[in-house]
Amino acid sequence: MRKLVYYVAVSVDGFIAGPSGEFDFYPGAPDMAQHQLDEYPETIPVQARPQLGLADTPNKRFDTVLMGLGAYRPGLDAGIPSPYPHLEQYVVSSTLPGVDDPAVHLVRADPLGLVRELKQQPGSGDLWLCGGGRLAAELLPEIDELVFKRYPVVAGGGIPAFAGPLRPRPFAPVETLAFSHGGTVTTYRPAG
């Protein structure tokens, strides 16, 4: 069965973006960036793929991406209605009037049901939960793996990795990789 993987950048205080969706405060490190290119090339959006030499790079881990409106909006605002054409794309939003690209599926309700259905379908890869925090909180019961790119910065406020009601669910770290700027990539799986 395919897994739902929440692969996301996060500050040390647990925020995936600033209050208005900002993410430019994450400090860069060449070795961390190279890890993403090597292990998760499909998570690079279409506009950056040619410059990074990924134009024809096959997907390595994921074949499907799920995004909340906040995760989808930056591409849309830049005139890119299909930010990951190399993946099956789902945008979960009850307020987005529509999508201008037939390759992007707009989901207005029941993302939990959608994920359960997608997990049962055959595919060449796992499902990537790209963000945001409200969608992650709603999909928490179906998340099979967390991959947190933790950057050595305190955001102080913004969009939390999980923005929903208190519903504790234990996860255990299975791997942590450290990078030159002090950031880490930690993989967690459900505990017990």
Side-chain angles (χ1 to χ4, degrees):
M1 183 186 304
R2 298 157 82 193
K3 294 192 286 188
L4 178 63
V5 180
Y6 189 19
Y7 174 74
V8 68
V10 64
S11 64
V12 293
D13 54 344
F15 294 99
I16 59 173
S20 298
E22 309 90 344
F23 53 87
D24 57 351
F25 57 86
Y26 289 123
D31 53 343
M32 189 181 224
Q34 191 61 52
H35 178 266
Q36 181 176 5
L37 297 177
D38 293 344
E39 299 302 321
Y40 301 94
E42 63 272 32
T43 64
I44 304 298
V46 65
Q47 69 272 21
R49 291 175 69 83
Q51 298 91 315
L52 295 171
L54 299 173
D56 298 320
T57 301
N59 298 338
K60 190 165 184 178
R61 174 81 193 267
F62 306 115
D63 69 359
T64 302
V65 60
L66 292 98
M67 303 169 269
L69 181 57
Y72 182 60
R73 173 79 55 206
L76 196 58
D77 289 349
I80 303 166
S82 180
Y84 301 101
H86 48 283
L87 299 171
E88 188 78 17
Q89 301 170 88
Y90 292 88
V91 175
V92 178
S93 174
S94 60
T95 60
L96 188 65
V99 177
D100 292 332
D101 194 300
V104 179
H105 308 283
L106 180 58
V107 178
R108 297 209 178 273
D110 194 19
L112 208 52
L114 170 68
V115 166
R116 289 176 178 146
E117 181 182 318
L118 290 172
K119 282 183 169 187
Q120 298 301 321
Q121 294 175 0
S124 59
D126 288 327
L127 314 172
W128 170 35
L129 174 53
C130 170
R134 284 187 306 214
L135 181 58
E138 195 166 345
L139 295 178
L140 181 57
E142 287 295 324
I143 294 176
D144 301 294
E145 190 171 283
L146 304 170
V147 181
F148 279 3
K149 298 182 295 178
R150 191 168 302 277
Y151 287 84
V153 62
V154 171
I159 301 168
F162 292 91
L166 179 66
R167 289 190 308 182
R169 182 172 179 216
F171 282 80
V174 295
E175 178 184 54
T176 297
L177 305 171
F179 297 93
S180 59
H181 65 343
T184 59
V185 172
T186 302
T187 301
Y188 300 86
R189 295 202 181 107

